[in-house]
Amino acid sequence: MDQLKHTLAGLGGFAKENLPPQVTETVTDLTSSVRSRLTLGSRRRTQPIDDEEAGHIIPFDSHAGGGHSTCKQGPQLRVSPSLHSFIARNHILGSGETVADLLSKPHISVPREVVSRDYPLPEYFVSSSHNTYLCAHQLFGESSADPYRHTLQAGSRCVEIDVWDNSDNLDEPKVTHGYTLVSHIPFREVCKIILQVVEEEEAGSAPVLISLENHCGARGQEALVRIMKEVWGRHLLDKPVETESHIEQNQHVPLRDLGSKIVVIVEHHLVNEANSSSSDSSSDSSSEDEAEKKEKRSRKQAKNTPEAKLIIPSLAELGVYGQSVKPPDNSWFTSPTLQLKDGPHHHLINVSESGLNALLSSGNGASIAKHNARHLMRVFPKGTRISSKNLKPLPFWGLGAQVCALNWQTFDASMQINEAMFAGTGGYVLKPSWLRSNNSAMVGLAEREFREQVARTRRRKRLRLVVAGASDVPVPSGRDDDKEVKPYLTCTLLHPGVPFREMQQTKKKTDVFRKHKLSALLIGGLTGAGSKEEESLVTDPLWDETLEWEYEDDELVFLRMFVKSDDSFSSNPVLCVASVRLLYVEGVKGQWRFVRMLDLKGRETACSLLVKFEVDEI
């Protein structure tokens, strides 16, 4: 702790000696904020710790985050003797079926409609990455092109590229996190990595969206256009696609017509946007600390220069189906047509989580949801999430926000939910009908009537999770040999809730499993195992319990599952995790399934959980 505080103090000193004054002010405020929070945290160590929101840095050998975690590349699964006995005793296997057959069955069944590509782009949730080029920390981490390969292969379909003029060579722009100590990489190198992934997966794959954050002058922008066309070639979408049916200029084509193209989202600057940006409308909110406010002011000052405000025509033309805007007023959700005043033909509202929360706190949730039924929205983490923690995507999905940009550097609660949302899909998930434009009756309703109608569309359901047990629960490395694991399963049911923004969660848990010598001897005798089997029994818990919830189903309900150890009052460590979207388990309801568990880095473990999902309307 002291060493980390010393490092942060050193960063402030480095900034004062080597960086411009406006950047120094931002760095100093951010490091001071972090140091104060570290001090506050150390004072609270005696209080109970909720580590279910936390996660570890995601390594490149992990495939979790975008729905590709269970990719059959993890350790081979084993079924414990106690679970073999449970399966036989409860007659779980069908005629001629083996335990190996049961192990191979998927624990989810994604409805075909959810992955249909017959609808316009705004009607989908998109698996999305924020500051994709960063390997870890947002303030002084390392930039690399490798995360683009990793996130795309893990299921992301929208990546971010922050491009800046390269003072060493204006014809080769660089990618970096501006006004920080982050290293930089060539834009061309990033484009090449993206091309490699697109070519590897081209057959039947979904389009890749590029959120291009431009900080270049005119010459640098010319270089951007030239490099994208040179490197991406035929894969780059540089003009509207031709369709058999007539599509108006301001309408989106069906997702299938975009094929596997690379689709660029280009910034579109509006008059007075820097003076009153809805994306930063929370800068006077008490929910943000002074460090974030000053960081925003520094970025606004830089973006307000004539060079930065200019988007040259050749670059603007590449924003065929996405022009990112930070609007100067609220016309985009208050006008009867839900059209942005003087906006581009395919606008995307680019807003920070704190900016959007400020609008929601004023009761604008229903209006924003109706806007998002027809137009795109991208929500990105607030500036103080410098350690790569994440925004919570579920409340924003409940508004119909298509692009919730997450920091894929950390496999925290938000990334675990993102993994569950996009599991078994190509990174695009059709939104519930009440959040889509085809539901014209909903879009035309006033605020109060819209909320009431949303509530009426929800069905009251009951989830019964029948928990048999687990095999090979992982024991944390470095754990004291004499500190026995006491595993139990805790589960949290999550959904957006009504009114908007108020995410609801309900937690249930099993009893703690404790090793019984008598059962260990019986199992050892039945299997011929000796003392080694007896010792490992604690990592093969058998619970045979049922957890139950009642909830309002809006198709955005998730279940997070954790195997934890009952160590103490203050801290019960998470040993492994898994999350599911309940819509995806309804196809296997009433059937026993093994769920492969992940570690806190998003990697597959050798642990599996035997459960049965029972979902019924009340």
Side-chain angles (χ1 to χ4, degrees):
M1 179 70 71
D2 291 338
Q3 183 177 3
L4 179 56
K5 290 180 180 179
H6 179 74
T7 301
L8 291 169
L11 282 172
F14 174 86
K16 290 179 181 179
E17 296 178 3
N18 298 276
L19 299 177
Q22 68 270 26
V23 182
T24 299
E25 183 180 25
T26 299
V27 173
T28 301
D29 288 331
L30 284 171
T31 54
S32 298
S33 174
V34 173
R35 289 201 306 273
S36 65
R37 293 180 188 186
L38 289 173
T39 302
L40 181 61
S42 64
R43 294 172 183 169
R44 295 176 175 173
R45 284 182 178 177
T46 57
Q47 299 299 319
I49 298 173
D50 182 7
D51 54 3
E52 295 176 8
E53 297 296 312
H56 297 164
I57 297 297
I58 299 177
F60 287 156
D61 63 347
S62 166
H63 293 272
H68 291 184
S69 65
T70 306
C71 55
K72 310 298 183 184
Q73 295 183 1
Q76 184 174 355
L77 295 177
R78 179 190 71 93
V79 178
S80 70
S82 56
L83 277 183
H84 269 286
S85 177
F86 179 90
I87 290 170
R89 188 168 61 251
N90 290 276
H91 309 288
I92 290 175
L93 299 178
S95 177
E97 189 177 27
T98 66
V99 172
D101 295 330
L102 183 59
L103 267 175
S104 66
K105 291 182 178 180
H107 66 276
I108 61 171
S109 176
V110 180
R112 184 175 300 178
E113 179 72 2
V114 167
V115 293
S116 167
R117 298 182 184 175
D118 295 336
Y119 301 89
L121 183 58
E123 300 199 7
Y124 293 86
F125 297 123
V126 186
S127 183
S128 306
S129 166
H130 172 252
N131 286 354
T132 311
Y133 48 88
L134 290 179
C135 293
H137 203 279
Q138 304 283 315
L139 182 60
F140 44 83
E142 178 184 353
S143 296
S144 172
D146 292 333
Y148 288 91
R149 176 184 297 279
H150 172 248
T151 55
L152 289 171
Q153 291 180 339
S156 175
R157 291 293 95 181
C158 180
V159 295
E160 181 180 18
I161 309 178
D162 276 322
V163 285
W164 297 74
D165 281 324
N166 182 358
S167 57
D168 295 330
N169 186 350
L170 291 177
D171 294 323
E172 293 289 338
K174 63 184 180 180
V175 176
T176 188
H177 196 190
Y179 304 108
T180 67
L181 304 180
V182 168
S183 62
H184 61 82
I185 51 176
F187 175 69
R188 184 182 296 273
E189 182 180 342
V190 170
C191 291
K192 287 180 178 179
I193 290 289
I194 293 172
L195 174 67
Q196 290 174 11
V197 177
V198 169
E199 289 183 333
E200 289 168 2
E201 63 181 22
E202 185 170 5
S205 62
V208 173
L209 307 184
I210 305 296
S211 179
L212 189 67
E213 297 292 325
N214 170 64
H215 304 270
C216 295
R219 181 173 171 180
Q221 292 177 47
E222 291 174 356
L224 295 177
V225 175
R226 182 180 66 255
I227 292 170
M228 285 188 283
K229 290 186 174 182
E230 285 178 3
V231 176
W232 291 338
R234 65 180 178 85
H235 298 281
L236 174 65
L237 183 72
D238 58 0
K239 60 183 178 181
V241 299
E242 297 181 3
T243 60
E244 295 180 1
S245 58
H246 177 68
I247 301 290
E248 298 291 341
Q249 185 186 28
N250 63 346
Q251 291 181 317
H252 282 272
V253 298
L255 180 63
R256 67 171 181 273
D257 290 345
L258 297 178
S260 57
K261 291 286 189 179
I262 299 173
V263 182
V264 183
I265 300 170
V266 180
E267 289 173 290
H268 180 97
H269 294 293
L270 300 170
V271 177
N272 296 326
E273 68 171 18
N275 295 329
S276 178
S277 170
S278 67
S279 68
D280 292 333
S281 61
S282 64
S283 59
D284 295 326
S285 169
S286 59
S287 65
E288 295 184 13
D289 61 22
E290 191 61 28
E292 182 175 2
K293 296 176 186 177
K294 290 187 176 181
E295 181 193 30
K296 286 181 177 180
R297 287 197 290 269
S298 296
R299 288 179 177 268
K300 283 184 182 181
Q301 182 179 2
K303 294 285 283 186
N304 203 30
T305 63
E307 272 282 280
K309 297 277 285 187
L310 170 69
I311 300 294
I312 64 174
S314 59
L315 179 57
E317 289 172 0
L318 292 183
V320 180
Y321 293 115
Q323 293 87 36
S324 172
V325 297
K326 295 181 178 178
D329 54 44
N330 294 336
S331 62
W332 57 278
F333 66 85
T334 58
S335 68
T337 61
L338 300 174
Q339 291 288 343
L340 177 65
K341 183 180 179 181
D342 299 324
H345 52 84
H346 284 99
H347 76 254
L348 173 148
I349 301 297
N350 199 16
V351 58
S352 72
E353 59 171 310
S354 47
L356 184 53
N357 279 330
L359 293 173
L360 295 178
S361 64
S362 301
N364 297 305
S367 297
I368 293 173
K370 289 188 287 183
H371 165 274
N372 293 346
R374 297 180 178 178
H375 306 285
L376 293 171
M377 170 177 282
R378 175 179 181 268
V379 187
F380 57 89
K382 61 183 180 180
T384 51
R385 296 192 182 275
I386 59 175
S387 61
S388 295
K389 292 183 179 179
N390 270 306
L391 58 80
K392 296 184 185 302
L394 189 50
F396 301 134
W397 285 334
L399 292 168
Q402 298 84 357
V403 179
C404 289
L406 299 181
N407 293 316
W408 284 49
Q409 297 86 359
T410 307
F411 192 60
D412 57 10
S414 297
M415 283 295 289
Q416 293 165 28
I417 291 294
N418 200 69
E419 169 68 32
M421 169 64 91
F422 295 101
T425 74
Y428 288 87
V429 168
L430 190 66
K431 297 194 290 188
S433 61
W434 58 277
L435 288 171
R436 289 158 41 202
S437 62
N438 66 338
N439 198 334
S440 57
M442 296 285 280
V443 174
L445 293 176
E447 184 97 5
R448 179 178 175 182
E449 289 76 12
F450 183 86
R451 290 174 179 269
E452 293 174 350
Q453 185 64 23
V454 168
R456 282 194 291 269
T457 62
R458 300 186 174 203
R459 294 166 294 171
R460 187 75 177 169
K461 289 188 176 182
R462 177 184 293 112
L463 167 66
R464 298 178 76 249
L465 181 69
V466 187
V467 184
S471 301
D472 290 330
V473 170
V475 178
S477 59
R479 187 179 178 91
D480 294 339
D481 294 336
D482 59 349
K483 194 171 186 179
E484 186 176 77
V485 173
K486 302 173 184 177
Y488 66 97
L489 182 73
T490 181
C491 303
T492 303
L493 193 77
L494 303 133
H495 55 97
V498 173
F500 299 95
R501 191 190 178 201
E502 296 184 6
M503 185 172 69
Q504 300 178 12
Q505 47 188 328
T506 308
K507 183 181 296 187
K508 302 289 179 69
K509 63 181 180 179
T510 67
D511 289 335
V512 176
F513 176 80
R514 289 181 171 83
K515 181 172 62 177
H516 297 288
K517 289 188 177 181
L518 177 60
S519 63
L521 289 171
L522 287 172
I523 292 173
L526 290 171
T527 62
S531 59
K532 185 176 181 181
E533 183 67 47
E534 180 180 345
E535 291 173 4
S536 66
L537 188 64
V538 70
T539 59
D540 295 333
L542 186 69
W543 291 295
D544 193 10
E545 295 186 44
T546 299
L547 308 179
E548 187 172 310
W549 295 262
E550 292 184 4
Y551 61 96
E552 301 289 336
D553 185 27
D554 59 1
E555 299 184 22
L556 292 176
V557 185
F558 293 80
L559 184 70
R560 299 184 65 209
M561 298 175 283
F562 316 84
V563 176
K564 304 178 72 173
S565 179
D566 186 34
D567 285 3
S568 66
F569 169 75
S570 62
S571 177
N572 290 336
V574 174
L575 306 178
C576 51
V577 300
S579 298
V580 294
R581 185 183 181 189
L582 291 194
L583 179 66
Y584 300 166
V585 301
E586 290 196 14
V588 297
K589 66 181 181 180
Q591 304 173 43
W592 287 97
R593 288 293 188 269
F594 282 100
V595 179
R596 166 91 74 164
M597 305 298 285
L598 307 176
D599 66 16
L600 290 180
K601 294 182 179 181
R603 298 174 301 190
E604 293 178 307
T605 70
C607 178
S608 61
L609 181 70
L610 180 59
V611 297
K612 180 170 61 173
F613 299 97
E614 296 179 346
V615 182
D616 301 291
E617 289 194 29
I618 300 177

